[in-house]
Amino acid sequence: MTLRNTRSATFERVVVEPTTGRRSLRGSRGVCLHRTQRPRSMSAHEVPAPSRMAPNPAPPAPLLPRVAAGDPEAVREVLRRYTSLVWSLCSAGSRDPHEVEDLVQEVFVDVWRSAARYDDRIASEATFIATIARRRVIDRRRRVGRRIEQESLEEDFLPGAEDDALRLVDVADEAGLAAAALSELPPERRHVLELSVVRGLTHREIASSTGMPLGTVKSHIRRGLSEVSDRLRARRASFGVEYEEDAR
Amino acid sequence: MRASSDRERLFELAALGATEGLADDEARELLSTQHGARLAAALDEAAATVHLAYLAARSAQSDGAAERSEARVDELARPVGLHERLLARATAQLAGEQPRPSAARAGQRGAPRVLGQWAGWLVAAAAVVLCTVMAARLAELQEFARLGDSGVRRDRLVAEAPDAAVLDWTPLTHESAQGLSGRITWSDARNEGYMTFRGLAPNDPRDEQYQLWIFRGTDLAAEPHPVDGGVFDVAEDREVVVPIDAKLAVGRAGTFVVTVEPPGGVVVSDRSKLVALAQRAI
């Protein structure tokens, strides 16, 4: 598995000009953010792109098998490495820190329970944990009713985005693959996918806010996820991991 | 044509599940087939990687001069002590043994000799009592932390999942099952369940572990590859609640079987050490 060090990488973004559709690559280092100027949320036309930095020669050994074996040091390391990530994922839809903490606790309970079935040939630990976290978040939203406020979608309540610890998370190369796949999507589809996956809007809310027909929104989400899934499947195949069936 | 529309329907459900979730009947429809279960897993993973890609990009985007002041915003958003609380709960959840006897002995050894024989015995006795009480209390707290959560989740599953089934365990031939009773609680729609055991013999995870297998039917011989429900350990000979860790979406579960396997479990059990069985009525 190829991991990238996002802390020291010159992370770059593909910026798609909305009018021309042309893509250009921009580096993010040297961007000076004033104290009152928060990092902007990702616009519909900006796509995270994989870094050009050379991959780490030796990816760190996975922690979850050690957790499954009862290694307390591995538990500490997982928390050190991924708490910020899980907090970011869980806090996107709520401003109540107690509620978010409950959710984070539930996610890690699931992570400890599921540690034994982690397979590093299939996904990175970050993706494995993020998948668990997203399921919990979605379950919670459905259980308590949707309370996503547009304000909470502002970047100042996406903690973790500015957090040192998040930078240290091993954002593995499948995240880079996702970024690459996103960069090739039509801007409209990418925008819909971001609203749905990252901001947590329902399909109907997206249709309402964008003016797109609901069927079009659903189609964009399905196709966008399918594109990413295809990339991940191809990556697994390159590692010799059998994938039983086409995702579509 | 019909097959194509069925696949489209499953695809639609999987995308909906990966983004805004599914109602119970929709989840049941999606997870009732292997294809649906694979789709669900694939699109869940795709959504997670997309989310990671955006978070990573946003993180890198903030890599600028205001980094320190922005980090302070995160400190305010994230409660103080979160990491410690997570660690405490993880430790309690993963703890398998309590330090009661050694704590008591340590107290005994620590009694001061200079107070004379009787005073020394009294102090030692008091220390033993105190340590024993404290250790017992600690054990209770850890026990609650370790099992309480699963028990609460089990009860919540029964209360919230309309399809939740509760089945009694039938002890089988392995020696660990002598005196075993309890039940299994399972929801097909949620692919979630909990095992409750009383009298299941404690195991040494260095030698062997218990493993759950989930069969879709009731004819076990007809299913050479049941779904792996996860390995687990029993630390004490008392009631335990163990969450089921199904490796795949099961769909409709017909039979649950616990076996004893080598540490870490196996991919395919030889079914030689059968502990318990719970089965739906046909």
Side-chain angles (χ1 to χ4, degrees), chain A residues 54-85:
Chain A
N56 291 337
L63 295 165
L64 291 174
R66 288 170 53 202
V67 170
D71 180 350
E73 189 52 44
V75 171
R76 287 192 196 90
E77 182 60 19
V78 166
L79 287 173
R80 190 193 67 75
R81 199 180 290 183
Y82 297 112
T83 295
S84 182
L85 169 66

PDB file of all heavy atoms in Angstrom, chain A residues 54-85:
ATOM      1  N   ALA A  54       6.837  11.864  -3.482  1.00  0.00           N
ATOM      2  CA  ALA A  54       7.137  10.438  -3.570  1.00  0.00           C
ATOM      3  C   ALA A  54       6.518   9.712  -2.382  1.00  0.00           C
ATOM      4  O   ALA A  54       6.510  10.221  -1.264  1.00  0.00           O
ATOM      5  CB  ALA A  54       8.646  10.237  -3.559  1.00  0.00           C
ATOM      6  N   PRO A  55       5.987   8.554  -2.627  1.00  0.00           N
ATOM      7  CA  PRO A  55       5.357   7.830  -1.532  1.00  0.00           C
ATOM      8  C   PRO A  55       6.374   7.397  -0.492  1.00  0.00           C
ATOM      9  O   PRO A  55       7.554   7.243  -0.774  1.00  0.00           O
ATOM     10  CB  PRO A  55       4.741   6.608  -2.229  1.00  0.00           C
ATOM     11  CG  PRO A  55       5.523   6.452  -3.476  1.00  0.00           C
ATOM     12  CD  PRO A  55       5.941   7.828  -3.887  1.00  0.00           C
ATOM     13  N   ASN A  56       5.866   7.202   0.738  1.00  0.00           N
ATOM     14  CA  ASN A  56       6.736   6.689   1.786  1.00  0.00           C
ATOM     15  C   ASN A  56       7.260   5.330   1.365  1.00  0.00           C
ATOM     16  O   ASN A  56       6.512   4.484   0.906  1.00  0.00           O
ATOM     17  CB  ASN A  56       5.960   6.540   3.091  1.00  0.00           C
ATOM     18  CG  ASN A  56       5.598   7.881   3.669  1.00  0.00           C
ATOM     19  OD1 ASN A  56       6.242   8.877   3.376  1.00  0.00           O
ATOM     20  ND2 ASN A  56       4.546   7.912   4.461  1.00  0.00           N
ATOM     21  N   PRO A  57       8.542   5.087   1.542  1.00  0.00           N
ATOM     22  CA  PRO A  57       9.089   3.807   1.107  1.00  0.00           C
ATOM     23  C   PRO A  57       8.534   2.636   1.895  1.00  0.00           C
ATOM     24  O   PRO A  57       8.368   1.558   1.367  1.00  0.00           O
ATOM     25  CB  PRO A  57      10.594   3.980   1.350  1.00  0.00           C
ATOM     26  CG  PRO A  57      10.718   5.093   2.334  1.00  0.00           C
ATOM     27  CD  PRO A  57       9.551   5.980   2.116  1.00  0.00           C
ATOM     28  N   ALA A  58       8.304   2.839   3.172  1.00  0.00           N
ATOM     29  CA  ALA A  58       7.822   1.727   3.999  1.00  0.00           C
ATOM     30  C   ALA A  58       6.589   2.171   4.776  1.00  0.00           C
ATOM     31  O   ALA A  58       6.712   2.893   5.765  1.00  0.00           O
ATOM     32  CB  ALA A  58       8.920   1.283   4.954  1.00  0.00           C
ATOM     33  N   PRO A  59       5.415   1.783   4.322  1.00  0.00           N
ATOM     34  CA  PRO A  59       4.203   2.177   5.030  1.00  0.00           C
ATOM     35  C   PRO A  59       4.236   1.620   6.449  1.00  0.00           C
ATOM     36  O   PRO A  59       4.764   0.525   6.676  1.00  0.00           O
ATOM     37  CB  PRO A  59       3.079   1.518   4.213  1.00  0.00           C
ATOM     38  CG  PRO A  59       3.678   1.134   2.923  1.00  0.00           C
ATOM     39  CD  PRO A  59       5.134   0.944   3.160  1.00  0.00           C
ATOM     40  N   PRO A  60       3.685   2.366   7.401  1.00  0.00           N
ATOM     41  CA  PRO A  60       3.680   1.855   8.770  1.00  0.00           C
ATOM     42  C   PRO A  60       2.844   0.591   8.866  1.00  0.00           C
ATOM     43  O   PRO A  60       1.867   0.423   8.143  1.00  0.00           O
ATOM     44  CB  PRO A  60       3.052   2.998   9.561  1.00  0.00           C
ATOM     45  CG  PRO A  60       2.305   3.811   8.554  1.00  0.00           C
ATOM     46  CD  PRO A  60       3.038   3.668   7.265  1.00  0.00           C
ATOM     47  N   ALA A  61       3.270  -0.272   9.745  1.00  0.00           N
ATOM     48  CA  ALA A  61       2.520  -1.523   9.927  1.00  0.00           C
ATOM     49  C   ALA A  61       1.130  -1.192  10.450  1.00  0.00           C
ATOM     50  O   ALA A  61       0.968  -0.266  11.236  1.00  0.00           O
ATOM     51  CB  ALA A  61       3.261  -2.416  10.911  1.00  0.00           C
ATOM     52  N   PRO A  62       0.124  -1.919   9.998  1.00  0.00           N
ATOM     53  CA  PRO A  62      -1.237  -1.636  10.467  1.00  0.00           C
ATOM     54  C   PRO A  62      -1.368  -1.857  11.969  1.00  0.00           C
ATOM     55  O   PRO A  62      -0.730  -2.744  12.547  1.00  0.00           O
ATOM     56  CB  PRO A  62      -2.099  -2.622   9.674  1.00  0.00           C
ATOM     57  CG  PRO A  62      -1.165  -3.669   9.186  1.00  0.00           C
ATOM     58  CD  PRO A  62       0.174  -3.021   9.048  1.00  0.00           C
ATOM     59  N   LEU A  63      -2.190  -1.035  12.571  1.00  0.00           N
ATOM     60  CA  LEU A  63      -2.366  -1.096  14.022  1.00  0.00           C
ATOM     61  C   LEU A  63      -3.514  -2.018  14.434  1.00  0.00           C
ATOM     62  O   LEU A  63      -3.495  -2.603  15.515  1.00  0.00           O
ATOM     63  CB  LEU A  63      -2.652   0.309  14.556  1.00  0.00           C
ATOM     64  CG  LEU A  63      -1.520   1.319  14.410  1.00  0.00           C
ATOM     65  CD1 LEU A  63      -2.043   2.731  14.640  1.00  0.00           C
ATOM     66  CD2 LEU A  63      -0.420   0.999  15.404  1.00  0.00           C
ATOM     67  N   LEU A  64      -4.534  -2.091  13.597  1.00  0.00           N
ATOM     68  CA  LEU A  64      -5.752  -2.785  14.029  1.00  0.00           C
ATOM     69  C   LEU A  64      -5.540  -4.275  14.324  1.00  0.00           C
ATOM     70  O   LEU A  64      -6.157  -4.793  15.263  1.00  0.00           O
ATOM     71  CB  LEU A  64      -6.862  -2.568  13.003  1.00  0.00           C
ATOM     72  CG  LEU A  64      -7.365  -1.117  12.960  1.00  0.00           C
ATOM     73  CD1 LEU A  64      -8.366  -0.903  11.836  1.00  0.00           C
ATOM     74  CD2 LEU A  64      -7.985  -0.716  14.302  1.00  0.00           C
ATOM     75  N   PRO A  65      -4.696  -4.971  13.571  1.00  0.00           N
ATOM     76  CA  PRO A  65      -4.456  -6.363  13.980  1.00  0.00           C
ATOM     77  C   PRO A  65      -3.857  -6.459  15.374  1.00  0.00           C
ATOM     78  O   PRO A  65      -4.151  -7.387  16.126  1.00  0.00           O
ATOM     79  CB  PRO A  65      -3.475  -6.874  12.911  1.00  0.00           C
ATOM     80  CG  PRO A  65      -3.733  -6.017  11.718  1.00  0.00           C
ATOM     81  CD  PRO A  65      -4.077  -4.669  12.278  1.00  0.00           C
ATOM     82  N   ARG A  66      -3.028  -5.473  15.731  1.00  0.00           N
ATOM     83  CA  ARG A  66      -2.474  -5.478  17.089  1.00  0.00           C
ATOM     84  C   ARG A  66      -3.551  -5.153  18.113  1.00  0.00           C
ATOM     85  O   ARG A  66      -3.544  -5.689  19.227  1.00  0.00           O
ATOM     86  CB  ARG A  66      -1.339  -4.457  17.177  1.00  0.00           C
ATOM     87  CG  ARG A  66      -0.071  -4.907  16.428  1.00  0.00           C
ATOM     88  CD  ARG A  66       0.931  -3.760  16.327  1.00  0.00           C
ATOM     89  NE  ARG A  66       1.229  -3.173  17.605  1.00  0.00           N
ATOM     90  CZ  ARG A  66       1.714  -1.941  17.769  1.00  0.00           C
ATOM     91  NH1 ARG A  66       1.963  -1.182  16.709  1.00  0.00           N
ATOM     92  NH2 ARG A  66       1.952  -1.466  18.971  1.00  0.00           N
ATOM     93  N   VAL A  67      -4.460  -4.281  17.733  1.00  0.00           N
ATOM     94  CA  VAL A  67      -5.595  -4.004  18.632  1.00  0.00           C
ATOM     95  C   VAL A  67      -6.397  -5.277  18.849  1.00  0.00           C
ATOM     96  O   VAL A  67      -6.773  -5.614  19.976  1.00  0.00           O
ATOM     97  CB  VAL A  67      -6.500  -2.902  18.026  1.00  0.00           C
ATOM     98  CG1 VAL A  67      -7.802  -2.792  18.828  1.00  0.00           C
ATOM     99  CG2 VAL A  67      -5.771  -1.568  18.011  1.00  0.00           C
ATOM    100  N   ALA A  68      -6.646  -5.986  17.761  1.00  0.00           N
ATOM    101  CA  ALA A  68      -7.427  -7.223  17.861  1.00  0.00           C
ATOM    102  C   ALA A  68      -6.723  -8.242  18.752  1.00  0.00           C
ATOM    103  O   ALA A  68      -7.367  -9.072  19.394  1.00  0.00           O
ATOM    104  CB  ALA A  68      -7.660  -7.807  16.468  1.00  0.00           C
ATOM    105  N   ALA A  69      -5.398  -8.157  18.788  1.00  0.00           N
ATOM    106  CA  ALA A  69      -4.632  -9.087  19.630  1.00  0.00           C
ATOM    107  C   ALA A  69      -4.519  -8.598  21.061  1.00  0.00           C
ATOM    108  O   ALA A  69      -3.874  -9.243  21.883  1.00  0.00           O
ATOM    109  CB  ALA A  69      -3.244  -9.291  19.029  1.00  0.00           C
ATOM    110  N   GLY A  70      -5.120  -7.415  21.337  1.00  0.00           N
ATOM    111  CA  GLY A  70      -5.151  -6.930  22.706  1.00  0.00           C
ATOM    112  C   GLY A  70      -3.953  -6.099  23.117  1.00  0.00           C
ATOM    113  O   GLY A  70      -3.655  -5.982  24.296  1.00  0.00           O
ATOM    114  N   ASP A  71      -3.273  -5.510  22.148  1.00  0.00           N
ATOM    115  CA  ASP A  71      -2.095  -4.701  22.439  1.00  0.00           C
ATOM    116  C   ASP A  71      -2.541  -3.290  22.858  1.00  0.00           C
ATOM    117  O   ASP A  71      -3.026  -2.518  22.032  1.00  0.00           O
ATOM    118  CB  ASP A  71      -1.220  -4.628  21.178  1.00  0.00           C
ATOM    119  CG  ASP A  71       0.037  -3.791  21.394  1.00  0.00           C
ATOM    120  OD1 ASP A  71       0.135  -3.111  22.438  1.00  0.00           O
ATOM    121  OD2 ASP A  71       0.904  -3.811  20.509  1.00  0.00           O
ATOM    122  N   PRO A  72      -2.377  -2.928  24.137  1.00  0.00           N
ATOM    123  CA  PRO A  72      -2.867  -1.623  24.595  1.00  0.00           C
ATOM    124  C   PRO A  72      -2.124  -0.454  23.953  1.00  0.00           C
ATOM    125  O   PRO A  72      -2.689   0.620  23.766  1.00  0.00           O
ATOM    126  CB  PRO A  72      -2.644  -1.667  26.113  1.00  0.00           C
ATOM    127  CG  PRO A  72      -1.638  -2.741  26.340  1.00  0.00           C
ATOM    128  CD  PRO A  72      -1.793  -3.720  25.229  1.00  0.00           C
ATOM    129  N   GLU A  73      -0.886  -0.675  23.599  1.00  0.00           N
ATOM    130  CA  GLU A  73      -0.137   0.400  22.963  1.00  0.00           C
ATOM    131  C   GLU A  73      -0.717   0.718  21.579  1.00  0.00           C
ATOM    132  O   GLU A  73      -0.755   1.876  21.155  1.00  0.00           O
ATOM    133  CB  GLU A  73       1.347   0.002  22.845  1.00  0.00           C
ATOM    134  CG  GLU A  73       2.255   1.119  22.392  1.00  0.00           C
ATOM    135  CD  GLU A  73       2.097   2.391  23.226  1.00  0.00           C
ATOM    136  OE1 GLU A  73       2.016   2.312  24.476  1.00  0.00           O
ATOM    137  OE2 GLU A  73       2.022   3.472  22.602  1.00  0.00           O
ATOM    138  N   ALA A  74      -1.179  -0.324  20.903  1.00  0.00           N
ATOM    139  CA  ALA A  74      -1.797  -0.110  19.585  1.00  0.00           C
ATOM    140  C   ALA A  74      -3.099   0.677  19.727  1.00  0.00           C
ATOM    141  O   ALA A  74      -3.428   1.516  18.873  1.00  0.00           O
ATOM    142  CB  ALA A  74      -2.061  -1.456  18.909  1.00  0.00           C
ATOM    143  N   VAL A  75      -3.830   0.415  20.801  1.00  0.00           N
ATOM    144  CA  VAL A  75      -5.067   1.164  21.052  1.00  0.00           C
ATOM    145  C   VAL A  75      -4.741   2.645  21.215  1.00  0.00           C
ATOM    146  O   VAL A  75      -5.388   3.520  20.620  1.00  0.00           O
ATOM    147  CB  VAL A  75      -5.777   0.619  22.309  1.00  0.00           C
ATOM    148  CG1 VAL A  75      -6.936   1.521  22.716  1.00  0.00           C
ATOM    149  CG2 VAL A  75      -6.264  -0.797  22.073  1.00  0.00           C
ATOM    150  N   ARG A  76      -3.740   2.913  22.022  1.00  0.00           N
ATOM    151  CA  ARG A  76      -3.334   4.314  22.222  1.00  0.00           C
ATOM    152  C   ARG A  76      -2.933   4.961  20.898  1.00  0.00           C
ATOM    153  O   ARG A  76      -3.281   6.099  20.611  1.00  0.00           O
ATOM    154  CB  ARG A  76      -2.155   4.395  23.200  1.00  0.00           C
ATOM    155  CG  ARG A  76      -2.535   4.120  24.622  1.00  0.00           C
ATOM    156  CD  ARG A  76      -1.398   4.491  25.583  1.00  0.00           C
ATOM    157  NE  ARG A  76      -1.627   3.875  26.866  1.00  0.00           N
ATOM    158  CZ  ARG A  76      -1.186   2.659  27.205  1.00  0.00           C
ATOM    159  NH1 ARG A  76      -0.445   1.969  26.365  1.00  0.00           N
ATOM    160  NH2 ARG A  76      -1.456   2.151  28.384  1.00  0.00           N
ATOM    161  N   GLU A  77      -2.212   4.216  20.091  1.00  0.00           N
ATOM    162  CA  GLU A  77      -1.720   4.774  18.832  1.00  0.00           C
ATOM    163  C   GLU A  77      -2.875   5.018  17.859  1.00  0.00           C
ATOM    164  O   GLU A  77      -2.891   6.024  17.142  1.00  0.00           O
ATOM    165  CB  GLU A  77      -0.682   3.817  18.217  1.00  0.00           C
ATOM    166  CG  GLU A  77      -0.064   4.300  16.921  1.00  0.00           C
ATOM    167  CD  GLU A  77       0.679   5.630  17.067  1.00  0.00           C
ATOM    168  OE1 GLU A  77       1.027   6.013  18.199  1.00  0.00           O
ATOM    169  OE2 GLU A  77       0.878   6.290  16.035  1.00  0.00           O
ATOM    170  N   VAL A  78      -3.830   4.110  17.837  1.00  0.00           N
ATOM    171  CA  VAL A  78      -4.999   4.319  16.973  1.00  0.00           C
ATOM    172  C   VAL A  78      -5.736   5.592  17.401  1.00  0.00           C
ATOM    173  O   VAL A  78      -6.116   6.419  16.566  1.00  0.00           O
ATOM    174  CB  VAL A  78      -5.952   3.103  17.038  1.00  0.00           C
ATOM    175  CG1 VAL A  78      -7.305   3.437  16.424  1.00  0.00           C
ATOM    176  CG2 VAL A  78      -5.344   1.913  16.309  1.00  0.00           C
ATOM    177  N   LEU A  79      -5.907   5.757  18.714  1.00  0.00           N
ATOM    178  CA  LEU A  79      -6.601   6.958  19.194  1.00  0.00           C
ATOM    179  C   LEU A  79      -5.797   8.210  18.869  1.00  0.00           C
ATOM    180  O   LEU A  79      -6.354   9.231  18.460  1.00  0.00           O
ATOM    181  CB  LEU A  79      -6.832   6.855  20.703  1.00  0.00           C
ATOM    182  CG  LEU A  79      -7.915   5.867  21.123  1.00  0.00           C
ATOM    183  CD1 LEU A  79      -7.947   5.709  22.639  1.00  0.00           C
ATOM    184  CD2 LEU A  79      -9.281   6.311  20.623  1.00  0.00           C
ATOM    185  N   ARG A  80      -4.499   8.122  19.059  1.00  0.00           N
ATOM    186  CA  ARG A  80      -3.666   9.289  18.766  1.00  0.00           C
ATOM    187  C   ARG A  80      -3.750   9.673  17.289  1.00  0.00           C
ATOM    188  O   ARG A  80      -3.831  10.822  16.925  1.00  0.00           O
ATOM    189  CB  ARG A  80      -2.207   8.985  19.137  1.00  0.00           C
ATOM    190  CG  ARG A  80      -1.292  10.203  19.109  1.00  0.00           C
ATOM    191  CD  ARG A  80       0.166   9.808  19.164  1.00  0.00           C
ATOM    192  NE  ARG A  80       0.602   9.115  17.979  1.00  0.00           N
ATOM    193  CZ  ARG A  80       0.846   9.692  16.798  1.00  0.00           C
ATOM    194  NH1 ARG A  80       0.670  10.988  16.665  1.00  0.00           N
ATOM    195  NH2 ARG A  80       1.248   8.991  15.769  1.00  0.00           N
ATOM    196  N   ARG A  81      -3.794   8.631  16.471  1.00  0.00           N
ATOM    197  CA  ARG A  81      -3.726   8.880  15.039  1.00  0.00           C
ATOM    198  C   ARG A  81      -5.083   9.250  14.424  1.00  0.00           C
ATOM    199  O   ARG A  81      -5.147  10.032  13.486  1.00  0.00           O
ATOM    200  CB  ARG A  81      -3.170   7.624  14.353  1.00  0.00           C
ATOM    201  CG  ARG A  81      -2.633   7.893  12.969  1.00  0.00           C
ATOM    202  CD  ARG A  81      -2.103   6.643  12.331  1.00  0.00           C
ATOM    203  NE  ARG A  81      -0.869   6.152  12.939  1.00  0.00           N
ATOM    204  CZ  ARG A  81      -0.216   5.095  12.486  1.00  0.00           C
ATOM    205  NH1 ARG A  81      -0.673   4.426  11.452  1.00  0.00           N
ATOM    206  NH2 ARG A  81       0.894   4.692  13.063  1.00  0.00           N
ATOM    207  N   TYR A  82      -6.152   8.684  14.983  1.00  0.00           N
ATOM    208  CA  TYR A  82      -7.427   8.813  14.277  1.00  0.00           C
ATOM    209  C   TYR A  82      -8.535   9.566  15.015  1.00  0.00           C
ATOM    210  O   TYR A  82      -9.601   9.759  14.455  1.00  0.00           O
ATOM    211  CB  TYR A  82      -7.948   7.423  13.895  1.00  0.00           C
ATOM    212  CG  TYR A  82      -7.036   6.701  12.942  1.00  0.00           C
ATOM    213  CD1 TYR A  82      -6.328   5.574  13.333  1.00  0.00           C
ATOM    214  CD2 TYR A  82      -6.867   7.172  11.648  1.00  0.00           C
ATOM    215  CE1 TYR A  82      -5.476   4.923  12.469  1.00  0.00           C
ATOM    216  CE2 TYR A  82      -6.008   6.529  10.773  1.00  0.00           C
ATOM    217  CZ  TYR A  82      -5.309   5.401  11.187  1.00  0.00           C
ATOM    218  OH  TYR A  82      -4.462   4.775  10.319  1.00  0.00           O
ATOM    219  N   THR A  83      -8.286   9.973  16.253  1.00  0.00           N
ATOM    220  CA  THR A  83      -9.352  10.688  16.979  1.00  0.00           C
ATOM    221  C   THR A  83      -9.775  11.947  16.230  1.00  0.00           C
ATOM    222  O   THR A  83     -10.957  12.245  16.099  1.00  0.00           O
ATOM    223  CB  THR A  83      -8.887  11.053  18.406  1.00  0.00           C
ATOM    224  OG1 THR A  83      -8.673   9.846  19.134  1.00  0.00           O
ATOM    225  CG2 THR A  83      -9.934  11.878  19.118  1.00  0.00           C
ATOM    226  N   SER A  84      -8.796  12.660  15.732  1.00  0.00           N
ATOM    227  CA  SER A  84      -9.117  13.900  15.034  1.00  0.00           C
ATOM    228  C   SER A  84      -9.949  13.631  13.775  1.00  0.00           C
ATOM    229  O   SER A  84     -10.909  14.347  13.485  1.00  0.00           O
ATOM    230  CB  SER A  84      -7.826  14.626  14.668  1.00  0.00           C
ATOM    231  OG  SER A  84      -8.121  15.833  14.036  1.00  0.00           O
ATOM    232  N   LEU A  85      -9.571  12.606  13.070  1.00  0.00           N
ATOM    233  CA  LEU A  85     -10.320  12.246  11.862  1.00  0.00           C
ATOM    234  C   LEU A  85     -11.765  11.887  12.214  1.00  0.00           C
ATOM    235  O   LEU A  85     -12.711  12.384  11.595  1.00  0.00           O
ATOM    236  CB  LEU A  85      -9.647  11.056  11.168  1.00  0.00           C
ATOM    237  CG  LEU A  85     -10.454  10.402  10.041  1.00  0.00           C
ATOM    238  CD1 LEU A  85     -10.618  11.358   8.872  1.00  0.00           C
ATOM    239  CD2 LEU A  85      -9.796   9.110   9.589  1.00  0.00           C
TER     240      LEU A  85
END
